[in-house]
Amino acid sequence: MNFTFLLTAYEPPGPVNNGVFVLTFILFCLTIFLNLVLVFVIYVDSNLHKPMYILLFNLAVNGLVGCTSVCPKVMENLIKVVPDITHEGCLLQVFFINVHAASAYAILTAMAYDRYVSICKPLQYYSIMTPFKVKLLLVIVNLIPIILLAIQVFITSSLPLCGYIINKLFCDNLAIVNLSCVRSAVSNLYGIVIISILVVLPLVLVVLSYIRILIVCLKASKDSQKKAFSTCAPHLITFINFSTASLFSVIYNRYSVVSREVNIISSAAFILFPPLLNPFIYGIRTKEIKTAIRKILRGRVSAWSNEIANLKSKPVMVLNIT
């Protein structure tokens, strides 16, 4: 379908857009850099090749997918006279945004299960969290959202459209559905199925995991409670951070007319803030990651020092011309 949507949440080109462009560009680059650092540290340090950090590796990659699927187009539209996006581009954006959100929620659920096994069944941890089970979890948290959301985008793409104006900074599925000429029962029913499987179920599993963790901690010693809290705190903060951003985005998407300020705040809260904050949360709160970063930096500084020393120790050849 050769069709273009107009995105009306943008200010006309001018100082405001230029300022937002610069801020978005800085946050985008910082998000990319921090998540790449986290991915690199987990990849190169064999001490971090454990289920929890393998899942964290996938969460960082997921953050990269989420922000790169939106931010470049948002920055392009900030400096365009007519901010728009093609029908195909809009559907692709919807797909990647939703996969980012659903996979992140699924990964956080798998991480909650990992924390539950680690604290409630410590002696059985490595017999439960086997390499096969970790690979199975990775397939589930990535493949199921991709399949379910691909079907949703296919259903949305088949709807006839009677409008072309979207009052958002970027596309979302509900905005496209609301522009359709008909009300599709299949689309509505499938939307409920998607929410039940990809949102409600993970939330219930995370809550149940932490209820079990809390019960075990209440029976444990003070030292064990402190250790359990330090282990769970990064994940719990990340989960609350992402859930809050997602909830804000869902509420915001239910309204077709909101201020440009709300558009900007909601978009940043959903797309940029979770992947931007996750590396900070785990880098600051997780001892093993801080140790790995220090070890890599020390190794790099030592290598540079050796290179400089070798250059200084090399004899200088003097060419005599007679």
Side-chain angles (χ1 to χ4, degrees):
M1 181 186 295
N2 188 11
F3 197 86
T4 299
F5 293 109
L6 296 181
L7 302 168
T8 59
Y10 293 86
E11 289 275 1
V16 174
N17 277 20
N18 294 337
V20 174
F21 177 91
V22 172
L23 180 60
T24 304
F25 179 75
I26 292 171
L27 292 176
F28 175 65
C29 292
L30 188 59
T31 300
I32 296 295
F33 173 74
L34 291 174
N35 280 279
L36 286 177
V37 168
L38 187 59
V39 166
F40 175 76
V41 169
I42 295 173
Y43 179 79
V44 300
D45 194 325
S46 58
N47 293 323
L48 298 179
H49 294 177
K50 301 173 183 177
M52 184 65 175
Y53 298 110
I54 293 172
L55 291 168
L56 180 57
F57 179 97
N58 278 261
L59 186 64
V61 172
N62 176 269
L64 292 171
V65 171
C67 64
T68 53
S69 65
V70 173
C71 290
K73 186 61 180 176
V74 168
M75 287 188 288
E76 178 190 340
N77 280 329
L78 282 168
I79 57 177
K80 286 179 67 175
V81 176
V82 181
D84 60 0
I85 187 170
T86 64
H87 182 253
E88 294 80 4
C90 195
L91 290 172
L92 279 174
Q93 198 173 69
V94 167
F95 174 72
F96 282 110
I97 291 171
N98 288 349
V99 166
H100 155 67
S103 293
Y105 224 47
I107 292 168
L108 290 168
T109 305
M111 293 169 80
Y113 174 72
D114 176 85
R115 294 300 84 198
Y116 158 74
V117 175
S118 175
I119 294 170
C120 300
K121 301 181 180 181
L123 299 178
Q124 301 171 299
Y125 180 79
Y126 287 105
S127 62
I128 295 175
M129 297 300 291
T130 61
F132 172 77
K133 179 166 282 188
V134 173
K135 291 177 183 176
L136 180 61
L137 283 173
L138 292 176
V139 170
I140 291 172
V141 301
N142 288 295
L143 196 58
I144 289 180
I146 288 174
I147 293 172
L148 292 177
L149 292 167
I151 295 172
Q152 183 188 48
V153 170
F154 174 76
I155 293 172
T156 302
S157 68
S158 64
L159 296 175
L161 298 175
C162 289
Y164 61 93
I165 295 176
I166 297 178
N167 187 42
K168 312 285 183 184
L169 290 179
F170 52 83
C171 297
D172 66 75
N173 190 71
L174 184 60
I176 301 175
V177 171
N178 287 339
L179 293 176
S180 65
C181 305
V182 296
R183 288 291 174 262
S184 172
V186 174
S187 178
N188 293 335
L189 180 61
Y190 193 75
I192 295 172
V193 172
I194 289 285
I195 292 173
S196 301
I197 296 175
L198 299 181
V199 178
V200 177
L201 180 60
L203 179 61
V204 170
L205 292 175
V206 171
V207 170
L208 289 176
S209 296
Y210 274 101
I211 289 174
R212 290 291 302 159
I213 290 171
L214 181 61
I215 291 172
V216 170
C217 288
L218 290 175
K219 299 176 182 178
S221 64
K222 293 292 184 181
D223 289 339
S224 297
Q225 289 177 2
K226 186 177 179 181
K227 184 178 179 182
F229 176 76
S230 64
T231 302
C232 293
H235 173 265
L236 197 55
I237 294 169
T238 302
F239 183 77
I240 292 172
N241 171 43
F242 187 78
S243 297
T244 303
S246 299
L247 179 62
F248 186 51
S249 179
V250 168
I251 294 173
Y252 147 78
N253 284 332
R254 296 292 160 183
Y255 296 91
S256 58
V257 180
V258 294
S259 68
R260 289 185 172 91
E261 290 78 10
V262 173
N263 266 293
I264 294 170
I265 293 171
S266 174
S267 302
F270 180 60
I271 293 298
L272 277 177
F273 289 168
L276 175 62
L277 294 178
N278 290 346
F280 278 118
I281 293 168
Y282 277 93
I284 294 172
R285 296 286 311 183
T286 307
K287 183 179 178 181
E288 288 181 280
I289 290 180
K290 286 191 289 187
T291 302
I293 292 173
R294 283 196 294 265
K295 185 169 68 174
I296 291 171
L297 290 176
R298 280 198 302 267
R300 193 66 260 173
V301 170
S302 177
W304 287 336
S305 299
N306 291 336
E307 288 176 8
I308 292 172
N310 290 335
L311 287 174
K312 288 182 177 180
S313 64
K314 287 182 179 180
V316 178
M317 295 182 65
V318 178
L319 182 63
N320 293 321
I321 301 176
T322 59

